[in-house]
Amino acid sequence: MRVLAAIGVLAIVVAIAAAAFFFGGFYSVAASQPQPGIVASALIRVRQASINRHAVETPPLSLVDVAVVQAGARAFAQRGCTNCHGGPGVGWAKFSEGLNPGPPDLKEIVDTIEPRQLFWVIKNGIDMTGMPSFGAIEVPDKEIWTIVAFLKKLPTVSDQDYKAWTAPASSGTQ
Ligand code: HEC
């Protein structure tokens, strides 16, 4: 009985100390400092588990269709993804270096992420990071799926292909 009481008291003390630490402003939310290792690894695990559980949709179109991939490249450019993630032959905006967590180089990670997971991330964004929800600004699901098709192809897209696919239709004669 005494042990249980001691555990109870200890739990209350820990809760009060944690509340004082976090609500008292001692935890730093600065993006200019790396997160403490335990926070960073907890965030990555929570993100991966959350995306995996929520991402259930299946593509309504062919992800290997050339026209779909090219439409996805245009959407990727027009929706501003390159500002943070860069693209083939396109550098990211300087401000994205100040994001923490930083935006990944997508061509290096897309092989390990399933289409349903890419779709979910683009549609819903990632809370408390710089990754916006494109569903929240009413980008249609179909357009998001074209971006998924483009991303799955990304590791093999050359700078020239990307330039040609994203060029305005009228400049094709130059
Ligand atoms: C304002 C900056 C910003 C823009 C614009 C942006 N992203 Fe991101 N994105 C991020 C950041 C930051 C992360 C990393 C989040 C994290 O580590 O949890 C990220 C992560 C991702 C991921 C990886 C998710 C994972 O599971 O690891 C994908 C895929 C992605 N973005 C795709 C896109 C696409 C496609 C667009 C355009 C439609 C886009 N992003 C626009 C900042 C941005």
Side-chain angles (χ1 to χ4, degrees), residues 8-29:
V9 170
L10 194 68
I12 292 169
V13 169
V14 169
I16 291 173
F21 178 72
F22 289 105
F23 296 111
F26 295 98
Y27 181 80
S28 171
V29 295

Side-chain angles (χ1 to χ4, degrees), residues 47 51 76 79-81 83-85 95 99 101-104 106 109-110 113 118 121-122 126 129-132 134 147 151:
R47 180 193 68 199
I51 293 171
F76 186 81
R79 296 293 182 183
C81 313
N83 284 317
C84 290
H85 293 287
F95 73 76
L99 286 170
L106 295 175
I109 61 165
V110 285
I113 309 179
L118 289 171
V121 165
I122 302 166
I126 303 178
T129 77
M131 177 60 198
F134 288 84
I147 298 177
L151 289 182

Side-chain angles (χ1 to χ4, degrees), residues 109-155:
I109 61 165
V110 285
D111 283 344
T112 62
I113 309 179
E114 293 170 38
R116 66 183 173 96
Q117 296 169 323
L118 289 171
F119 175 81
W120 191 89
V121 165
I122 302 166
K123 179 161 178 163
N124 297 288
I126 303 178
D127 200 12
M128 289 182 280
T129 77
M131 177 60 198
S133 157
F134 288 84
I137 56 159
E138 286 166 16
V139 175
D141 284 3
K142 214 174 148 215
E143 182 178 333
I144 296 178
W145 279 113
T146 68
I147 298 177
V148 173
F150 168 68
L151 289 182
K152 288 311 277 180
K153 192 94 181 117
L154 185 60

Side-chain angles (χ1 to χ4, degrees), residues 28-93:
S28 171
V29 295
S32 52
Q33 312 280 331
Q35 284 134 354
I38 185 169
V39 175
S41 73
L43 286 178
I44 291 170
R45 283 200 196 177
V46 169
R47 180 193 68 199
Q48 285 171 342
S50 170
I51 293 171
N52 197 35
R53 182 171 293 276
H54 285 89
V56 291
E57 291 192 57
T58 48
L61 36 72
S62 161
L63 298 180
V64 291
D65 185 307
V66 179
V68 173
V69 170
Q70 294 184 4
R74 279 192 297 280
F76 186 81
Q78 284 163 3
R79 296 293 182 183
C81 313
T82 46
N83 284 317
C84 290
H85 293 287
V90 182
W92 46 86

